[in-house]
Amino acid sequence: MTTWNPIEKGVITTLSNGNLTAYDIFQHSSVKSTDPKTSGKWFCEVKVDALNYNCIGIGSSDLPMTSSITTSVNYFYYYYDGRKSNSNLPTSYAPAYAVGDIIGILIDFDNGTLTFFKNGVNLGVAFDNINKLTDFCIIASSGTTTGHGGFTANFGETPFKYTPNSNDLPLGTKSYDDSKYISHESKSFVLHNGIYKKYTGKIPSDGGQKLIAPMTKPSQNGMTITQSSYDVTYYGYLATSPTSGWISSSVATPTNPEWITIDFGFGNEKVVTAYEAKTYASTAYITKHKFQGSNNGTDFVDLLDIKESIPNSVKKYEFTNETAYRYYRLYAYGSSGGNGRASLNGFQLIQKPTPVINPFWSDFSITPPSATQFSEHGMESLAPFARVVTALDPTEMTQRNDILGVGEVGKVFSKTIDLKKYLDIRSIKIEVK
């Protein structure tokens, strides 16, 4: 399900309604959607819940949500007062919007255009150069450092309030969550031996999903973080924060280790193959640590043993693991610095990436598919059947009169064709001169 991203958002911004409603949006606390795109044609709607110099549009998935992005060359947006802007160059575009308005966003990344709608009215192409981005997601921000902006997104899970006329949309337009087509389509199945079949192209890996949103309390989003000790108010769960962090109350040694443990909860085990971390306090840093997994919270298995200091910039640690664990623990057994304690922030666990799935054919139905089945499941392209007509150079044949029987009259010519070299021969023209 596509939502506002609970992991990559501004610290002050809050999410609710299944992470579809974002509130407390301002200049240094923005929010982006999950599911970045690199191609295609997409549509979604956002409802204006609170107005505070709001900006809504698209931007690169790597834009920081904790600093100002309204002047970025990688952010294209519709401003609350009706202007559009990119690269800090606001220009007139459309009417202003207000609380309660529904803003539609149509992205044709293949042709480089971004179009906005207001309460179902097409406002025209706002930008025609968005494909200079390498990828994009939906981003909501603000032009001020105070106040409370808010949006509720519909990425396609429920019917759109103002679905554009399908005839007016580019072919191939989908809801942003990839759940449905909203434009008319030319779709196909292949009937072979009485079975309707479909071809699915290569499905790339997801690269490994991040599992922890910045936490503001020990138990949040179904996870609980505990710690061996903490100094004053630098609790273990603050290790997930981009601005605060965990500091232990004592020095970490082999006989007095310091640790934080992440509990995903019963029945919610995860296969983790990487984590990210950095030192929070220059006077308290970890010099040796293990990363461990467990399914009972008591008996831990070492997954990685690092005998070097965790740096003061985020570092990614990767390892091999095929087991789903409920508990993961960063176990420090060496620390140093001015006060010798352990500290940590920017802590993130990364799930094992999904495998790349190579193209494949599958059986769909033995009865003629319905219009809905064609629309939702049919092939978008017949590229797998693309054929090229090629004329080969004339091939000299060998005369084989020796195979004529006694008394037979005529001439025999012979040539062997290597079908492994010419995989897709459909016709052969023979000439004897």
Side-chain angles (χ1 to χ4, degrees):
M1 176 180 173
T2 303
T3 65
W4 294 123
N5 195 324
I7 295 175
E8 298 183 56
K9 66 176 183 63
V11 176
I12 305 302
T13 301
T14 59
L15 301 183
S16 60
N17 184 30
N19 293 333
L20 292 174
T21 297
Y23 191 65
D24 287 327
I25 297 172
F26 57 89
Q27 193 173 70
H28 293 88
S29 192
S30 306
V31 65
K32 67 178 72 170
S33 67
T34 57
D35 301 332
K37 313 293 188 186
T38 58
S39 63
K41 305 172 183 70
W42 312 93
F43 180 82
C44 67
E45 288 182 336
V46 294
K47 180 170 73 72
V48 182
D49 295 324
L51 200 62
N52 184 46
Y53 295 85
N54 294 32
C55 310
I56 185 67
I58 68 167
S60 297
S61 64
D62 60 356
L63 282 174
M65 298 292 97
T66 54
S67 60
S68 176
I69 61 171
T70 54
T71 60
S72 172
V73 298
N74 292 328
Y75 187 32
F76 299 81
Y77 60 90
Y78 176 15
Y79 203 32
Y80 81 104
D81 63 3
R83 291 179 294 169
K84 62 181 180 179
S85 187
N86 169 246
S87 306
N88 200 27
L89 297 171
T91 57
S92 298
Y93 172 57
Y97 51 84
V99 171
D101 284 337
I102 305 292
I103 307 302
I105 306 173
L106 173 63
I107 309 105
D108 183 346
F109 203 62
D110 297 337
N111 292 303
T113 61
L114 175 62
T115 302
F116 293 98
F117 297 71
K118 178 185 173 186
N119 299 328
V121 177
N122 188 330
L123 302 177
V125 173
F127 302 97
D128 60 8
N129 61 336
I130 63 171
N131 51 8
K132 70 179 183 179
L133 304 176
T134 55
D135 73 351
F136 71 90
C137 49
I138 309 300
I139 296 180
S141 189
S142 172
T144 181
T145 57
T146 59
H148 309 277
F151 288 104
T152 293
N154 180 3
F155 295 111
E157 184 183 20
T158 58
F160 293 120
K161 176 75 172 178
Y162 302 103
T163 303
N165 188 318
S166 59
N167 291 319
D168 297 332
L169 293 172
L171 286 178
T173 303
K174 288 184 172 183
S175 58
Y176 191 86
D177 66 357
D178 205 12
S179 66
K180 62 180 73 69
Y181 281 92
I182 59 174
S183 64
H184 285 313
E185 295 303 311
S186 175
K187 294 295 197 66
S188 304
F189 289 105
V190 171
L191 180 62
H192 180 251
N193 290 337
I195 300 174
Y196 290 88
K197 298 175 178 286
K198 62 179 294 186
Y199 175 83
T200 301
K202 182 178 180 179
I203 301 174
S205 168
D206 66 1
Q209 294 185 0
K210 294 182 177 181
L211 297 173
I212 306 176
M215 296 176 65
T216 57
K217 52 188 176 181
S219 294
Q220 193 172 328
N221 301 321
M223 293 178 287
T224 299
I225 293 184
T226 55
Q227 66 283 310
S228 53
S229 69
Y230 59 90
D231 180 52
V232 192
T233 58
Y234 296 102
Y235 305 104
Y237 66 85
L238 293 175
T240 66
S241 169
T243 56
S244 186
W246 167 61
I247 302 177
S248 66
S249 65
S250 61
V251 178
T253 68
T255 57
N256 181 55
E258 296 284 356
W259 47 260
I260 60 171
T261 298
I262 298 89
D263 176 7
F264 284 107
F266 179 76
N268 198 28
E269 297 81 5
K270 307 289 185 183
V271 180
V272 171
T273 56
Y275 61 97
E276 295 176 348
K278 68 175 181 175
T279 291
Y280 174 58
S282 60
T283 58
Y285 57 89
I286 295 169
T287 58
K288 297 178 181 179
H289 76 276
K290 296 179 180 180
F291 188 76
Q292 304 170 317
S294 172
N295 272 318
N296 60 16
T298 302
D299 303 307
F300 281 85
V301 175
D302 291 347
L303 301 174
L304 196 62
D305 191 355
I306 301 294
K307 295 181 175 63
E308 60 182 39
S309 299
I310 293 178
N312 57 11
S313 58
V314 173
K315 180 173 181 177
K316 185 176 183 179
Y317 299 88
E318 298 179 279
F319 52 90
T320 300
N321 174 38
E322 299 295 336
T323 304
Y325 291 108
R326 170 179 171 176
Y327 303 89
Y328 286 93
R329 181 168 74 175
L330 192 143
Y331 180 92
Y333 64 97
S335 62
S336 188
N339 59 33
R341 291 174 290 177
S343 74
L344 201 66
N345 82 328
F347 187 56
Q348 179 62 256
L349 302 188
I350 301 172
Q351 196 165 20
K352 180 182 178 181
T354 57
V356 174
I357 300 176
N358 290 320
F360 62 95
W361 284 94
S362 58
D363 296 344
F364 181 77
S365 174
I366 60 173
T367 58
S370 65
T372 299
Q373 288 175 316
F374 266 102
S375 175
E376 295 181 356
H377 302 287
M379 293 185 295
E380 300 171 41
S381 169
L382 292 178
F385 301 100
R387 294 292 182 266
V388 176
V389 177
T390 302
L392 303 179
D393 292 335
T395 302
E396 184 177 350
M397 302 180 75
T398 304
Q399 189 168 330
R400 291 291 310 278
N401 293 342
D402 58 297
I403 67 172
L404 290 172
V406 176
E408 291 182 325
V409 178
K411 292 184 178 182
V412 177
F413 297 88
S414 160
K415 180 64 181 180
T416 300
I417 297 176
D418 183 1
L419 292 180
K420 291 182 179 179
K421 183 177 179 181
Y422 307 110
L423 291 174
D424 207 21
I425 290 179
R426 288 293 180 268
S427 63
I428 297 175
K429 182 179 181 180
I430 300 173
E431 292 184 357
V432 178
K433 296 181 179 178

